[in-house]
Amino acid sequence: MSEETIFSRIIKGDIPADIVYEDELCIAIRDVAPKAPTHLLVIPRKPIPRLVDASPEDQKILGHLMLAVGEIACKAGIGDAFRVVINNGEGAGQTVFHLHLHILGNKAFSEAELGF
């Protein structure tokens, strides 16, 4: 990765954030511009710019992120109804090029909002 992202700086402790979960492979923070009553970001400590930039060596991290989402959602009181979003690339709405998963919950999503 050529330049440091805001997420890398949060992970290093250079920028404050509302951290709701952390372990050896990832952290989760509250989104500063939430799109749902509960909007959390799950961020791997390893700076992978986009999902398509992940390599076979990242398989453990990717699987861990998915398992962490369930644990984080449960601890956040979302229950078993939530949405997980990964934006891959600028055309898909990615604005920070450090892979992250959005957990959106405590909101009923309409069929139109789901986009499919």
Side-chain angles (χ1 to χ4, degrees):
M1 191 166 71
S2 59
E3 64 183 63
E4 198 170 47
T5 67
I6 189 167
F7 294 156
S8 294
R9 295 182 66 207
I10 288 169
I11 290 166
K12 285 177 25 181
D14 294 343
I15 296 176
D18 187 357
I19 298 173
V20 297
Y21 174 91
E22 62 183 309
D23 64 26
E24 69 282 354
L25 296 178
C26 68
I27 68 165
I29 62 173
R30 294 195 187 282
D31 195 300
V32 296
K35 305 292 188 250
T38 300
H39 187 167
L40 307 172
L41 304 176
V42 182
I43 308 160
R45 292 183 184 277
K46 179 181 179 183
I48 303 166
R50 302 171 301 159
L51 182 59
V52 298
D53 297 318
S55 68
E57 71 182 30
D58 297 319
Q59 184 173 355
K60 178 181 176 185
I61 294 170
L62 298 176
H64 180 80
L65 292 173
M66 296 307 292
L67 292 173
V69 162
E71 182 178 344
I72 294 162
C74 183
K75 287 182 178 179
I78 295 173
D80 62 357
F82 56 90
R83 186 174 183 189
V84 179
V85 177
I86 301 172
N87 298 320
N88 187 83
E90 188 174 343
Q94 186 177 5
T95 57
V96 178
F97 287 85
H98 184 135
L99 177 66
H100 55 287
L101 291 73
H102 297 258
I103 303 173
L104 301 142
N106 290 322
K107 173 183 176 178
F109 293 97
S110 70
E111 193 171 313
E113 287 177 295
L114 295 175
F116 46 85

